[in-house]
Amino acid sequence: METFKYDAKGLLTAVAQDIETGQVLMVAMMNAEAVALTRATRQAHFWSRSRGQLWLKGETSGNVLDVEEIRVDCDRDALLLLVRPRGPACHTGNVSCFFTTLEENI
Amino acid sequence: METFKYDAKGLLTAVAQDIETGQVLMVAMMNAEAVALTRATRQAHFWSRSRGQLWLKGETSGNVLDVEEIRVDCDRDALLLLVRPRGPACHTGNVSCFFTTLEENI
């Protein structure tokens, strides 16, 4: 069984990327339980720091992320989820949470 | 001037994605100084938690990430850097730090 490098709070960073379009959809945290549930169900689960609870992404909206593949980075503290989103990944209705470009300087 | 939502340690998550290929290259942390330097120089700077210092990605290897565009997510605690890498982004020599696919379960 693989081991991951969780931080002091037992979390690692997960990036969800659309496997078809390559678009980076969202970044969220996972604890060990979220990782296990994601792997077992093939649907992305995260740990909400603000709410202090585990959540199935799309539980309310229906916009689940079906996980096709999971990659871990070289220092094993971040995961890349290659997903097929069933709808907009962002709670704002945008396809991706990264819909705002910084205008100044760059 | 935009404000970002840094965590209790003054950090946010940054994802570097190749603007040409769409490949997610690496995930690292940034403090406010790393964000400012990245925007000012158009080269990715990060905060190393293990070394406790700011670093210019590629400072030693030469594999700098030239930043074309920066996006911020909906809750302003993560950045997406769209970059042109001058070489492999990973210290292992791999193009991306996410070169390991998890085999079991998924």
Side-chain angles (χ1 to χ4, degrees), chain B residues 13-66:
Chain B
T13 302
V15 178
Q17 181 179 29
D18 188 309
I19 196 169
E20 286 291 336
T21 66
Q23 192 166 8
V24 172
L25 302 176
M26 61 181 290
V27 168
M29 305 305 290
M30 285 185 168
N31 61 4
E33 191 180 0
V35 172
L37 280 169
T38 298
R39 301 182 77 178
T41 65
R42 301 192 182 196
Q43 296 187 331
H45 290 68
F46 301 106
W47 175 259
S48 168
R49 286 176 292 183
S50 55
R51 288 178 287 147
Q53 65 179 39
L54 197 77
W55 57 296
L56 164 64
K57 161 70 190 158
E59 189 170 28
T60 307
S61 64
N63 298 332
V64 169
L65 301 175
D66 291 311

Side-chain angles (χ1 to χ4, degrees), chain B residues 47-105:
Chain B
W47 175 259
S48 168
R49 286 176 292 183
S50 55
R51 288 178 287 147
Q53 65 179 39
L54 197 77
W55 57 296
L56 164 64
K57 161 70 190 158
E59 189 170 28
T60 307
S61 64
N63 298 332
V64 169
L65 301 175
D66 291 311
V67 179
E68 297 271 319
E69 185 179 334
I70 302 179
R71 295 187 192 159
V72 61
D73 76 345
C74 53
D75 52 9
R76 304 189 76 80
D77 66 355
L79 297 179
L80 177 63
L81 312 179
L82 298 173
V83 304
R84 291 185 196 277
R86 295 197 193 172
C90 187
H91 73 288
T92 60
N94 285 278
V95 170
S96 162
C97 294
F98 292 96
F99 56 87
T100 305
T101 296
L102 301 190
E103 297 296 346
E104 56 166 346
N105 297 338

Side-chain angles (χ1 to χ4, degrees), chain A residues 3-93:
Chain A
T3 51
F4 303 112
K5 211 166 84 187
Y6 295 96
D7 69 11
K9 292 183 176 174
L11 302 174
L12 48 71
T13 302
V15 179
Q17 182 179 28
D18 188 309
I19 196 169
E20 286 292 337
T21 67
Q23 192 166 9
V24 173
L25 302 176
M26 60 181 290
V27 168
M29 305 305 289
M30 284 186 169
N31 60 4
E33 190 181 358
V35 173
L37 280 169
T38 298
R39 300 182 78 180
T41 65
R42 301 191 182 197
Q43 296 188 331
H45 290 68
F46 301 106
W47 176 258
S48 168
R49 287 176 292 184
S50 55
R51 289 178 287 147
Q53 65 179 41
L54 196 78
W55 57 295
L56 164 65
K57 162 69 191 159
E59 190 170 25
T60 307
S61 65
N63 298 332
V64 169
L65 300 175
D66 291 310
V67 179
E68 296 270 321
E69 186 179 332
I70 302 178
R71 295 187 192 159
V72 60
D73 76 346
C74 53
D75 52 10
R76 305 190 76 80
D77 66 356
L79 297 180
L80 177 62
L81 312 179
L82 298 173
V83 305
R84 292 185 195 276
R86 295 197 192 170
C90 188
H91 74 287
T92 60

